[in-house]
Amino acid sequence: MCKDEWILCPVCGSKTRVKIRDDTVLENFPLFCPKCKRETTINVKQLNLSIINEPDAKTQSR
């Protein structure tokens, strides 16, 4: 029997709308949290979640 679980938001810790199984593989997946309204890019392999840190856009100075 396959184990499945909900992905929790890495920012606020609440449950998202995405459910994964133990054989799920996600690469560069944009995970949206309906509670904090943030989008985070993640990788998932064998129920191990890793966050991809993207640098924030910097304003240009003259």
Side-chain angles (χ1 to χ4, degrees), residues 11-60:
V11 178
C12 68
S14 67
K15 188 166 60 169
T16 62
R17 296 179 178 139
V18 181
K19 199 173 199 181
I20 58 172
R21 298 184 344 176
D22 56 355
D23 59 347
T24 302
V25 176
L26 297 173
E27 292 183 6
N28 297 324
F29 182 76
L31 179 69
F32 178 76
C33 177
K35 185 176 179 184
C36 66
K37 308 281 192 262
R38 287 193 167 176
E39 186 174 298
T40 309
T41 307
I42 62 168
N43 288 339
V44 175
K45 191 172 186 180
Q46 295 177 351
L47 296 178
N48 292 326
L49 183 131
S50 60
I51 303 166
I52 300 173
N53 291 333
E54 296 177 357
D56 293 334
K58 296 183 179 179
T59 58
Q60 294 181 350

